[in-house]
Amino acid sequence: LIQTKQYSNTIQNKRIKIGFLQERVMNYSIHNVFQQLLDQIKSNSSAFQDFEFLIYDLNWPEQGGSNITSIKHLEKTGFKYVDLHAECSESQNDTFYSIVNKSINIFHRIQNDGVDVLIGMGGRPEYNFLFTNRVAKQQIYWSHGNSFYDIDGIDSRISHFSQSGPYQINVFHLPIDFKRYNPKVDQDLIANIRNNYPKDAFMLGYIGRLIKIQDDEYLEVVSKIMKQNPHTIFLACGSGEQVYIREKVDMLGIGDRFYFTGHIDSHIYGHIIDLFLASFHSGGEALQEYVYKWKPYVMIFNNLSNLLYGNQLKKYINNIKKHQDTGHQQILYTTDELNNLLANGYLDKSNTQSQSFHTYQYAKDFI
């Protein structure tokens, strides 16, 4: 907010209007992070003296649009919510509509609102139109991982996590809300869902948009893991196109052990999956929710310089043993489990109880 005031030094004697341009409002990672930011803003009583906040929802219907329950929850926060599809599209109830006309109408709506600073996440044609035609005095791109996105009209880039790329990104940090990341869930419900799958199976899995695992290299690595460990199954949890992934896993010979769950409650399935296999695009917010259930995950890096090997790995684990790594719940470890972590793969049964350890030391070479 301080930076925004500096950006808007031409604005005198009035509250600065900040517009957040959202693709959709629904219970998925991008919106969950945004909700955290709103909670943080609400906790700052002075913020509303200097700023007025508006939430613009593109609510694009091509993949179902926004979720009404999530919208109602957002409206209860007290921030002004605007459904841009309802107001600016000529075909509100149709997936076929003119994006150009909608973008023009949105441009006029935001201009008439007098928005000083527009913060958007990019990717949609509407973003491109609004930014390149300069709808606000200051236009900020909020990167959720695409640090290479570039169009005319971007004045500054921000992100809630560090990322590499060709442009300077101002990083801000959101406090961890453990109740949000690891809420209490019904253990009987977890057991009932678990009973729908083969008994005694080791549950590999992924939670997130399926497009993130629509990757030949990722699926081939999963296939190698499952063939080397015949007691495993894989749960692909999330919404998106399944056809290509289904054809690929059938061709790889693991189709009978590969399950599509559709959109699920990540807090429930986070307790069902034994080992999260993060995609090459990382696991996003869903992975963070999983990690804060003190569960293990595997991240495959293309940049081997990010990995821990040999003495580095030993030092990392020794720090945990000595309580020097406060980011872990050390009490959940045993010496035997940590030593076993060094000697064996993560599919060893004893490792399933080694809570919250990170998996930086494993890469494609390990497979």
Side-chain angles (χ1 to χ4, degrees), residues 256-275:
D256 59 332
R257 295 155 57 197
F258 200 100
Y259 296 81
F260 292 96
T261 67
H263 186 72
I264 48 85
D265 185 332
S266 59
H267 295 300
I268 294 175
Y269 274 77
H271 292 283
I272 294 171
I273 294 173
D274 295 314
L275 180 62

Side-chain angles (χ1 to χ4, degrees), residues 87-226:
E87 291 196 13
C88 301
S89 175
E90 298 168 353
S91 304
Q92 297 179 17
N93 299 317
D94 196 346
T95 55
F96 297 98
Y97 61 95
S98 171
I99 293 179
V100 173
N101 289 340
K102 179 180 177 180
S103 299
I104 293 172
N105 293 335
I106 291 173
F107 182 92
H108 292 308
R109 168 62 200 255
I110 293 176
Q111 270 204 332
N112 290 337
D113 284 341
V115 170
D116 301 300
V117 181
L118 184 67
I119 302 174
M121 292 167 292
R124 289 283 301 176
E126 296 92 333
Y127 286 106
N128 300 340
F129 181 91
L130 296 172
F131 271 57
T132 55
N133 286 284
R134 180 63 64 178
V135 70
K137 298 180 180 70
Q138 291 292 330
Q139 300 180 151
I140 300 175
Y141 167 55
W142 181 356
S143 172
H144 282 253
N146 184 1
S147 58
F148 289 81
Y149 176 72
D150 185 39
I151 57 172
D152 291 339
I154 295 178
D155 299 312
S156 181
R157 293 171 169 80
I158 61 173
S159 182
H160 52 291
F161 64 96
S162 300
Q163 50 191 283
S164 60
Y167 307 105
Q168 178 182 349
I169 297 179
N170 298 307
V171 178
F172 64 94
H173 297 286
L174 295 169
I176 298 298
D177 182 349
F178 288 96
K179 291 182 179 179
R180 178 189 294 273
Y181 277 92
N182 190 21
K184 291 183 179 180
V185 296
D186 186 340
Q187 296 299 314
D188 290 336
L189 178 58
I190 293 173
N192 290 337
I193 295 175
R194 181 63 182 78
N195 288 336
N196 292 327
Y197 300 101
K199 186 179 179 181
D200 297 327
F202 188 97
M203 314 281 273
L204 303 170
Y206 163 83
I207 302 173
R209 289 174 292 158
L210 295 184
I211 194 171
K212 290 187 176 182
I213 62 171
Q214 191 173 309
D215 180 279
D216 287 348
E217 192 172 10
Y218 175 85
L219 296 173
E220 287 165 6
V221 171
V222 170
S223 173
K224 290 180 181 179
I225 293 173
M226 295 180 71

Side-chain angles (χ1 to χ4, degrees), residues 1 14-22 25 34 37-38 41 47-48 50-58 74 77-84 87 106 109-120 136 142:
L1 295 178
K14 78 179 189 73
R15 286 198 301 168
I16 299 170
K17 285 191 177 182
I18 299 178
F20 293 101
L21 187 61
Q22 298 290 101
V25 174
F34 178 58
L37 177 61
L38 296 182
I41 292 174
F48 293 92
D50 299 320
F51 302 94
E52 179 181 348
F53 301 94
L54 301 93
I55 301 170
Y56 294 109
D57 179 13
L58 289 176
L74 180 61
T77 63
F79 292 89
K80 183 177 180 180
Y81 167 80
V82 180
D83 185 340
L84 291 176
E87 291 196 13
I106 291 173
R109 168 62 200 255
I110 293 176
Q111 270 204 332
N112 290 337
D113 284 341
V115 170
D116 301 300
V117 181
L118 184 67
I119 302 174
W142 181 356

Side-chain angles (χ1 to χ4, degrees), residues 305-316:
S305 65
N306 289 335
L307 305 178
L308 292 175
Y309 287 105
N311 292 332
Q312 286 181 296
L313 174 59
K314 291 178 182 178
K315 181 179 179 181
Y316 174 79

